[in-house]
Amino acid sequence: MTGDTTTTPLPDDTPARARATAPAPPPAPASPPVPRAGGAPGRRRTRRRTRRGARGGARWGPYAHIAPFFVLFGAFGLFPLLFTGWASLHRVELTAPTDMEWVGLRNYARLLTDEFFLNALRNTVTIGILSTVPQLLMALGIAHLLHHRLRGSTFFRVVVLTPYATSVAAATLVFVLLFGRDFGFVNWVLGVVGAGPVDWQNGRWTSRIAVSTIVVWRWTGYNALIYLAALQAVPDELYESAALDGASRWRQFVHVTVPSLRPTILFTVVVSTIGATQLFGEPLLFNGSAGATGGSEHQFQTLGLYLYEQGWVDLHLGRASAIAWAMFLILLLLGAAVALVGAYRRRRTP
Amino acid sequence: MNRLMRGFARRFPRRALPLAAAVVLGAVPAAGCGRSGDDPAGRTVLTVGLFGSFGYEEAGLYDAYMRLHQDVVITQTSIQRNENYYPQLLTHLVSDSGLADVQAVEAINIAEVTATQADRLVDLGRAPGVRRADFLPWKWAQATTRDGRTVGLGTDIGPQAVCYRKDLFARAGLPTGRDAVGRLWAGDWRAYLETGRRYRDRAPAGTSFTDSASGVLSAVTGSSARRFYDEDGTVVYKTSPAVREAWDIAAAFATEGLTARLQQFTPAWDQAFANGTFATVSCPAWMLGYIEDKAGPAGEDLWDVAAAPRPANWGGSFLVVPKSGKRRAQAVRLAAWLTAPAQQATLFRRRGSFPSASAAHALPAVAGARHPYFGDAPTGRIYTRAARGVPVTVLGPKDLVIAQNLADIGMLQVDQKGRRPEDGWDAAVRTIDNALDL
């Protein structure tokens, strides 16, 4: 983008704006909020009340107000997390969950040589890439289109969001039928154009593509709307000046839209990556009703499915806990990598 | 219980897929929970926790019981799939909370429940109104601990027959009468394989002899006494001659192109019933309703039922009573009544679940039963004879894991991916070893 005159004002200006519209909380405003009416006197009264309150019981009031969240988080977030970590250091079966036998890091050590875990990890990465990349690219394009052209934009926004509102189960069931080997719609279309039928579920790659398709179908619209929201914070003048400079729609997209959306794109990449790591419902149901095997060769068994199989089919709670924590650690590593890249970029462009 | 009750993870009832999907969405059904208590009118509320559809309510058994016992009200909770129900039942049992007064257990899980949870369950063997002689001995034995406590009462069993398409048999030049068809393979699963070869040589276009190699594998293993475990509780499936023979026969079906390369209880399998692309399927009593459903009105009178090569059992259930229940005595009485021969006969007549109470087999509701959809086949006679010959299978706690991986990993690779039988076997063994390893 350097050297292109139409975009020179962008790098300083747009990221902050786009950040303000990203789902993360906006930075605190520099100036205090303007009181509704009365101006200064009202403000003074507020301040006095606050000071008085600080001496009394209201000191703990804020904590009481936020307590429900932390109590719930402690009970349903933190405790399970820690207990899962504790269980992962034991041999413990669902038939007798209180008989825990200490095994140290054995459950983790065995993951390193567990062909099923490594296979699930590979599948998760593959399906993650196969679903995230096209999904975000298409979402960008759709957001760009929705932002500019359309008249009945509300209608199209609802249409785009419909897959997201559909349940995983319903969507996957339909896709199972679409990708059916004998009577599937996709194979029928392939037959019409002269290609042979594909056994989608049994192929190593075809099955992963099919599962990715479900993810792409469900999440593209959701991401498109996030992009669209961010896009609407981009000042129209940028597009106008770009147009005046003779930039085509495509160049506007490349040089105005994409740079403006960079923080939002990072956000969607992070969220999609987390989602891809935890992928569960789609591959489970894509297996028809055959459970968590992920196909006869585990060809689309994700980490989430393997965890489920270990814990709830094979009843090994300790091993399943170790898989859960391994997934958590993988996400932490990914997060650290993203943070490092971000820090590096910031240092390079002060 | 009936066709819905198959314990395998893949055994789906009619409309289970969407419902199971709800579980995936995190809407874990509130199952089997709720303690008994008294209702406002002072009557005792008894809860029954089931999976799938046992048909007690539909067959009017609860109403009948409440008429007999005016002081009792029965409520039922049900989770559609056993694979979701069973882990929850285990969790409730070991944490001693959320249990219903009476709970169901699938046959494939009964060995594990008997081995690990017997201390938490009432010994029903000595309960008033329970007569051991009423039940099939092997069914009784499956829920009895080594020290002689019977923690579960049998509801139904899954004696097997072979369902076949008369029209396809006729076009392939095979006999169509159910007795003649039964004679084609009587006594030997290899004769069933031989019939498959005859069918293939003159098969109507677009059809196969049977649905799946995994189905054959399940059927053949179901007709042997010792399959995955020996009497000492050791896992012996790798060296078990019965498993080996079943594997070889099923693999022959796959490699010789006698199957439609389907996986049972998947949407594709259902579609194949509707489209009539295979000619035979091993069908336990509870599967008749499933076939009727999936093949639809178009399949009426095209399907018929013949005796299986050898008597075998596939599926069935038990009722257990947790010790921690507050209304234990009443719960035991209810469980005993629900599994008594007369009620089991009613359930067969109304719902097709074949009684595990042998005393019910002679009752006219069972012995004289015919199935109109299957050309008025004398299903009562066929399944009673099959049930009589079923061997007492040695069960083990991990039967489900072993059976499922042999079918859904190993044999499925051979059938659908064209792997060599040895490779499929190795893949299944690796998966099972990993699953059984603590």
Side-chain angles (χ1 to χ4, degrees):
Chain A
M1 76 184 79
T2 44
D4 189 324
T5 48
T6 59
T7 60
T8 36
L10 286 184
D12 297 333
D13 196 22
T14 48
R17 285 169 186 281
R19 192 159 43 231
T21 63
S31 57
V34 181
R36 261 173 303 160
R43 208 185 305 163
R44 217 179 298 136
R45 206 162 46 230
T46 314
R47 233 180 258 148
R48 211 170 31 236
R49 209 187 297 138
T50 314
R51 233 179 286 129
R52 224 184 13 241
R55 269 181 257 124
R59 180 176 184 178
W60 297 105
Y63 294 105
H65 281 109
I66 58 169
F69 166 77
F70 283 99
V71 168
L72 286 177
F73 174 74
F76 297 106
L78 194 61
F79 172 72
L81 185 74
L82 296 178
F83 190 77
T84 303
W86 179 243
S88 72
L89 302 174
H90 294 80
R91 184 208 309 261
V92 48
E93 299 292 293
L94 186 61
T95 48
T98 47
D99 298 347
M100 297 173 83
E101 182 194 335
W102 177 264
V103 293
L105 292 175
R106 179 165 173 265
N107 287 333
Y108 291 94
R110 69 193 300 174
L111 287 183
L112 299 176
T113 53
D114 180 345
E115 60 165 315
F116 301 100
F117 176 78
L118 297 175
N119 169 65
L121 182 60
R122 270 194 305 273
N123 289 346
T124 307
V125 172
T126 321
I127 295 176
I129 293 172
L130 280 177
S131 57
T132 306
V133 174
Q135 177 192 148
L136 296 184
L137 288 179
M138 284 163 59
L140 258 184
I142 291 173
H144 188 67
L145 289 179
L146 284 180
H147 187 50
H148 277 292
R149 295 206 181 140
L150 301 168
R151 269 265 159 102
S153 57
T154 311
F155 171 75
F156 284 103
R157 283 170 205 179
V158 170
V159 167
V160 158
L161 202 60
T162 309
Y164 171 66
T166 314
S167 76
V168 190
T172 308
L173 291 175
V174 172
F175 275 91
V176 165
L177 295 179
L178 290 181
F179 283 111
R181 181 192 66 194
D182 296 337
F183 306 105
F185 176 74
V186 176
N187 276 346
W188 177 79
V189 171
L190 285 178
V192 168
V193 301
V198 174
D199 190 353
W200 291 95
Q201 200 191 330
N202 272 309
R204 276 197 91 70
W205 281 100
T206 52
S207 60
R208 287 183 259 183
I209 289 172
V211 170
S212 304
T213 309
I214 307 170
V215 180
V216 170
W217 181 81
R218 280 197 74 226
W219 291 94
T220 299
Y222 170 80
N223 286 306
L225 282 206
I226 289 184
Y227 289 149
L228 184 60
L231 265 182
Q232 285 174 340
V234 180
D236 285 341
E237 298 87 68
L238 288 177
Y239 286 105
E240 274 167 34
S241 52
L244 281 176
D245 286 348
S248 65
R249 280 264 194 253
W250 172 245
R251 297 199 63 157
Q252 289 178 31
F253 177 74
V254 172
H255 295 301
V256 180
T257 307
V258 172
S260 314
L261 292 185
R262 196 171 289 141
T264 315
I265 291 173
L266 183 64
F267 167 78
T268 55
V269 166
V270 169
V271 168
S272 302
T273 306
I274 293 174
T277 311
Q278 299 172 342
L279 194 64
F280 176 72
E282 288 88 348
L284 177 71
L285 293 169
F286 185 68
N287 205 8
S289 54
T293 56
S296 65
E297 293 187 310
H298 308 285
Q299 65 267 28
F300 53 92
Q301 186 176 49
T302 57
L303 286 173
L305 277 193
Y306 187 51
L307 186 163
Y308 180 83
E309 189 179 35
Q310 276 293 325
W312 300 101
V313 181
D314 302 340
L315 310 183
H316 307 317
L317 292 187
R319 291 179 67 184
S321 303
I323 298 169
W325 262 79
M327 290 167 69
F328 182 52
L329 294 177
I330 288 169
L331 278 179
L332 285 184
L333 279 178
L334 274 177
V338 170
L340 275 178
V341 170
Y344 174 75
R345 282 176 54 95
R346 268 196 301 282
R347 228 189 14 225
R348 213 187 45 172
T349 54
Chain B
M1 188 71 211
N2 53 19
R3 64 188 169 278
L4 312 188
M5 289 313 106
R6 206 37 199 88
F8 284 20
R10 68 177 186 283
R11 307 298 169 203
F12 258 81
R14 268 181 273 190
R15 262 162 288 137
L17 206 50
L19 287 165
V23 175
V24 172
L25 287 174
V28 178
C33 37
R35 288 277 179 182
S36 56
D38 291 342
D39 78 343
R43 294 175 297 182
T44 305
V45 178
L46 291 178
T47 52
V48 181
L50 307 174
F51 54 93
S53 134
F54 274 53
Y56 289 145
E57 201 151 25
E58 295 85 342
L61 291 182
Y62 292 150
D63 288 341
Y65 190 81
M66 289 187 277
R67 273 197 302 277
L68 289 171
H69 303 265
Q70 299 281 342
D71 57 336
V72 169
V73 178
I74 301 170
T75 61
Q76 172 187 305
T77 59
S78 179
I79 293 185
Q80 198 69 16
R81 292 175 68 177
N82 182 48
E83 76 173 36
N84 298 317
Y85 169 87
Y86 180 60
Q88 196 174 51
L89 171 64
L90 280 181
T91 315
H92 287 164
L93 275 172
V94 297
S95 64
D96 191 14
S97 73
L99 287 161
D101 294 296
V102 178
Q103 298 263 185
V105 177
E106 221 280 345
I108 203 139
N109 304 122
I110 193 66
E112 191 160 55
V113 168
T114 307
T116 65
Q117 311 296 323
D119 290 345
R120 300 186 175 95
L121 300 172
V122 174
D123 180 358
L124 298 168
R126 297 186 229 299
V130 175
R131 292 185 52 222
R132 178 178 183 162
D134 282 348
F135 290 88
L136 289 165
W138 57 267
K139 184 78 173 179
W140 184 270
Q142 284 176 347
T144 302
T145 61
R146 284 166 185 273
D147 58 8
R149 285 174 292 161
T150 302
V151 297
L153 294 176
T155 58
D156 67 326
I157 58 173
Q160 293 211 63
V162 172
C163 293
Y164 66 99
R165 287 270 302 234
K166 278 174 288 201
D167 58 329
L168 297 181
F169 265 48
R171 283 160 63 194
L174 293 169
T176 57
R178 59 184 75 95
D179 294 328
V181 169
R183 274 195 299 275
L184 283 176
W185 49 61
D188 190 358
W189 284 101
R190 290 189 187 278
Y192 180 59
L193 173 64
E194 193 51 50
T195 311
R197 292 179 181 133
R198 279 175 63 190
Y199 179 90
R200 179 195 54 196
D201 293 340
R202 293 183 57 186
T207 70
S208 308
F209 179 62
T210 190
D211 62 324
S212 64
S214 300
V216 176
L217 182 69
S218 303
V220 184
T221 42
S223 58
S224 57
R226 190 203 275 187
R227 38 178 199 175
F228 307 143
Y229 284 82
D230 70 7
E231 289 77 359
D232 302 328
T234 315
V235 178
V236 294
Y237 77 95
K238 283 183 212 176
T239 53
S240 157
V243 173
R244 191 76 241 176
E245 188 198 10
W247 180 271
D248 290 342
I249 293 175
F253 273 88
T255 53
E256 295 182 29
L258 305 183
T259 76
R261 300 171 61 232
L262 294 162
Q263 191 173 13
Q264 295 193 323
F265 296 91
T266 61
W269 194 57
D270 298 345
Q271 287 174 321
F273 272 117
N275 290 297
T277 56
F278 55 82
T280 67
V281 60
S282 289
C283 55
W286 47 262
M287 201 191 277
L288 296 181
Y290 191 96
I291 296 174
E292 182 178 350
D293 252 23
K294 298 303 172 190
E300 183 151 15
D301 262 351
L302 295 178
W303 284 96
D304 210 316
V305 187
R310 270 159 56 193
N313 186 69
W314 179 7
S317 294
F318 294 84
L319 292 183
V320 302
V321 177
K323 269 185 184 164
S324 60
K326 287 204 188 85
R327 312 281 175 185
R328 235 160 64 184
Q330 278 132 312
V332 168
R333 205 181 310 153
L334 173 62
W337 186 83
L338 284 173
T339 53
Q343 279 64 252
Q344 292 208 22
T346 305
L347 217 52
F348 179 67
R349 183 166 48 84
R350 304 283 287 271
R351 304 284 302 176
S353 308
F354 192 82
S356 65
S358 44
H361 297 171
L363 300 177
V366 177
R370 288 178 169 272
H371 205 303
Y373 186 86
F374 293 83
D376 249 357
T379 47
R381 187 164 52 79
I382 293 171
Y383 284 114
T384 306
R385 192 176 296 162
R388 210 172 289 145
V390 168
V392 184
T393 309
V394 181
L395 296 184
K398 297 299 176 188
D399 277 340
L400 170 63
V401 170
I402 298 171
Q404 184 178 4
N405 284 313
L406 282 178
D408 286 343
I409 300 295
M411 193 48 72
L412 195 63
Q413 286 188 13
V414 180
D415 200 14
Q416 294 199 343
K417 304 202 71 168
R419 292 268 182 281
R420 294 187 316 155
E422 307 89 88
D423 296 343
W425 175 262
D426 289 344
V429 167
R430 277 206 311 280
T431 311
I432 295 169
D433 283 350
N434 181 53
L436 296 189
D437 186 2
L438 302 181

